[in-house]
Amino acid sequence: MPLIDPNQLAAQLASVKENIKRQKDTPPSPLRLHSAFSQAQGGLLKSLAHARWSKENENRPSGSHEFLQTYSGEEKHVSHADWKDLELVDIEDLWIRMIHRGRYILCRIATRPTLTVGLQMAVIAPSGAVLQLAVYNYPILPVALGRPTLRDIDAAFPLHSIIAIKEPFLKMAASGDTPMIRIDSPTDLKFVSPFDPLVKGIAWARDYPRQGIWVVPVPEKKPLDYWKNTGNAHFVKKQFFQAMKAYTDGIDEHITDPRVSLLFLNRAQARIHLQRYNAALHDAVTSLENAGCVRNDPLLYQKALLRKAKALYCLRRWKDAREAYKQLSDCFPNSVEGREGLSMTAKRMQELSGDFDMVSLYKCGLNPHARCDVADYVGPVTVSAIKPKGRGLVTTRDVVPGELLLGVKALSYVAPPADFTIMGLNLLTNQLDKITQLLTVSDLVYKLTDEPGLGERVYGLYAGPDQTTPETYDLNGRAAQDDVQAPVDVGRIERAVTFNAFAPESVRPAAFQPSSIPERDKPTALFCQTSLINHSCAYNASWMCFGDLQVIRALVPIPQGKEVTISYAVDGGYNERMKLLAGKHLTKCSCELCTADLHDGNVLINKRARLENDSLLPVTYSTPAPAVRRAIVERTKVVNLMAETYRAERSLRPELFSAYNRLSFAYGVLAVVEKNTRYYQEVIRYSEQSLACIGVTATVVSNKKKGKKAKNDLSNLPVSGTPRHHSHAAVCTALQIAAAHRAIRAAARAWVQAALYMESVTVAPGPAFFKCRYERMLSDLDLHAFL
């Protein structure tokens, strides 16, 4: 995203807000009396047709980047009315700056659409009046398939098609001089045939002032095979939306033909590729239920069963998918897809109990854009009222450190596109939104249009301090699907994304990253269930993302009924945490850590921050010994000064942890540079003191030899407690202590086991996972033999 000057951003936000306020403050007025409306009748068709022509003929260099701008967070209209309860009104009778409750309008598409952030086109009313129509968030392609082409748009909004718009909202364009109809929710419009009851008795004007003659071509009915072959041709070219549209047109024309089952079957496959899994399931079931050619042809019947099973699997209906794949395998024992499907659903059913293959998930998560094929796990937690926070997650029984509480897939996980950028001004936060945040809204609109039952998950999330948050929330599964299209509330979706979505960090430790990933290149994810967990700087649970899977584990023993908390910020000082929390829409934190910091007072907080941010003499393994010694003196002074900023009774001292670690590292370098192992005692000493600052206390390590059975025994560790902060750094610290103890094998092995235990509690259990994640460090420190 191009950088923008803060003053320029403030000016743009002020301009947008002023324009919105001006529209709200200006009373509604009749459209027919507006001069811009009468003037537009003469040139609007030509203007929008030219805009489309320019789009078709623009000569953008290969690999060039399109830059767009929009804003979000303003109030958006969505109609909850039923079509049968609405009364028809003509465009000429609309009022500007008014939502027409209880009304609907009919219009025909008069120009081919142009796509910028939304779709722009001219429409003509039965009376002949011409008006601009702007449609936002219309689901053509899933975000993962990129921007729709002009051909896709034409297939979605065919020229001369009749559109019905419920409770239309008429406003002035952003330029302020052109009236237009704006649609934000895709459920506020529908395409209707000339025989639909909504258009019964409507006479369409053949001519109107200043526009000449407008003749609507009468569509010619085409054979069913024409639509099948046309759809197949698009499908082969991976033009899935155009293929779906061709099959749909064929179904509409030949719905009584027994062979129409073929079109339902083919449309199911196109919809699977378009990630419209609920609609694909409907098509597959319809093709099986119709007394047509599908059930009489073994090959077509096998395809129908497979597409039904695939749709159920992608809908995450694991039990139903297992039954569908079993039916496929029973009917066609040689079906490879049937056997593979049964194997996949068996794994998903296993994961429902929390039994994840963490090594596979880690390898998948190394790709920041990865999507993991995995089921959700909801452990011993439930939603409960938490005063004064509103609601949160509490445990349903006593849990132990390292216990898995949640393992859930993101409902939306969007990576940045390569060919265009949208700069979004968010009026809720007065900040710039990343393009992936804006596309997350589009992705959710697309999903909710196909699966209305997902709406409860999104609309039930926190939507800002001025919105009502439901007291209850179902952590398990999706609402039952039905054939009724629920209204898609885009405004609520924008708020859910603003206050809950975030950029997941890579599962690979930051210290092991080949290079840092710019914020703009990170994906945006919305995890619904984990969004209900409240923040605490003294959190009792940890979280980690494996691609689009987020895992929550207990860090400490959590009694039944106790609230589960995680950190929204970093494990830094008070000022740094508050600054980051402000970006997460939180103004304060009253946890034990923040309370202790405030009790220390602002003077000590600020002194601590200065000490943490002061530049220190650099130390590397190539630094000469005298320079390392000077650095040790400097770092010892920082440790002593930092320690003085904490009251003696304080347990958590995260900034001092970092200071001790820097001093310990300097002693480790000195041991290597001077080849003097006695300095490793200082490494051990200061590393153990650093761990004590985050809740991990070193204990006496026994030198007694242990048998092979005890090699991976975690019951006799040289530490007590688990890291409450800096969990990854704590694991690395334990490995550094193990390396310093290398001459005493029992002690070295015990500290490797301590590192393994801390990793098991904070991220994932098991030596195999630990080896994957810390392979580089284990090799550098020569510790593989102790694992």
Side-chain angles (χ1 to χ4, degrees), residues 98-120:
M98 180 175 173
I99 298 171
H100 297 77
R101 307 284 185 187
R103 303 287 190 270
Y104 76 94
I105 61 171
L106 291 172
C107 53
R108 285 187 185 270
I109 299 176
T111 62
R112 299 189 190 280
T114 302
L115 175 64
T116 51
V117 176
L119 294 167
Q120 311 290 331

Side-chain angles (χ1 to χ4, degrees), residues 659-703:
Y660 272 127
N661 258 351
R662 289 191 290 266
L663 177 57
S664 172
F665 175 75
Y667 271 110
V669 171
L670 188 61
V672 173
V673 171
E674 292 195 350
K675 299 180 180 178
N676 189 339
T677 57
R678 69 183 178 88
Y679 292 117
Y680 285 129
Q681 294 304 313
E682 300 303 308
V683 171
I684 295 169
R685 172 189 169 195
Y686 289 118
S687 293
E688 289 180 350
Q689 290 182 9
S690 74
L691 290 174
C693 295
I694 56 173
V696 180
T697 304
T699 58
V700 177
V701 180
S702 173
N703 291 333

Side-chain angles (χ1 to χ4, degrees), residues 390-451:
R391 67 179 182 187
L393 254 58
V394 300
T395 54
T396 57
R397 58 171 172 78
D398 294 347
V399 300
V400 298
E403 187 166 351
L404 183 62
L405 304 179
L406 285 169
V408 295
K409 285 264 290 183
L411 181 57
S412 178
Y413 190 85
V414 176
D419 55 347
F420 73 100
T421 291
I422 304 176
M423 185 182 76
L425 302 175
N426 193 320
L427 305 181
L428 296 172
T429 62
N430 294 326
Q431 295 175 352
L432 281 179
D433 280 346
K434 297 189 307 178
I435 182 173
T436 50
Q437 289 173 269
L438 299 167
L439 293 181
T440 297
V441 174
S442 300
D443 186 50
L444 291 169
V445 171
Y446 190 93
K447 286 181 167 70
L448 266 63
T449 304
D450 180 61
E451 293 184 68

Side-chain angles (χ1 to χ4, degrees), residues 735-747:
L735 291 177
Q736 292 285 2
I737 296 175
H741 272 303
R742 194 180 293 109
I744 308 174
R745 296 186 62 83

Side-chain angles (χ1 to χ4, degrees), residues 294-410:
V294 169
R295 295 190 66 89
N296 300 324
D297 185 317
L299 180 59
L300 296 180
Y301 185 55
Q302 182 177 0
K303 287 182 178 180
L305 291 176
L306 176 58
R307 288 166 194 178
K308 174 186 174 182
K310 280 184 176 180
L312 286 167
Y313 186 89
C314 293
L315 287 168
R316 306 177 64 77
R317 292 167 55 177
W318 310 122
K319 292 181 180 179
D320 294 335
R322 180 180 59 184
E323 292 304 313
Y325 277 117
K326 186 177 185 303
Q327 182 184 7
L328 174 62
S329 294
D330 289 345
C331 293
F332 300 93
N334 295 326
S335 170
V336 176
E337 294 91 346
R339 291 195 299 272
E340 290 178 346
L342 284 172
S343 175
M344 291 189 301
T345 52
K347 290 179 181 178
R348 303 295 84 81
M349 297 293 290
Q350 188 175 338
E351 290 157 356
L352 290 173
S353 62
D355 186 4
F356 293 105
D357 182 351
M358 299 307 299
V359 173
S360 296
L361 289 174
Y362 175 77
K363 293 177 179 178
C364 175
L366 290 176
N367 178 1
H369 301 160
R371 272 76 167 173
C372 299
D373 187 10
V374 65
D376 286 351
Y377 168 72
V378 177
V381 291
T382 189
V383 180
S384 179
I386 305 289
K387 294 182 179 181
K389 301 176 183 178
R391 67 179 182 187
L393 254 58
V394 300
T395 54
T396 57
R397 58 171 172 78
D398 294 347
V399 300
V400 298
E403 187 166 351
L404 183 62
L405 304 179
L406 285 169
V408 295
K409 285 264 290 183

Side-chain angles (χ1 to χ4, degrees), residues 697-702 706 712-721 749-758 761:
T697 304
T699 58
V700 177
V701 180
S702 173
K706 302 181 183 293
N712 294 319
D713 181 13
L714 301 181
S715 62
N716 185 24
L717 297 174
V719 296
S720 63
R749 176 172 291 115
W751 276 100
V752 170
Q753 293 302 306
L756 172 59
Y757 170 70
M758 288 189 275
V761 169

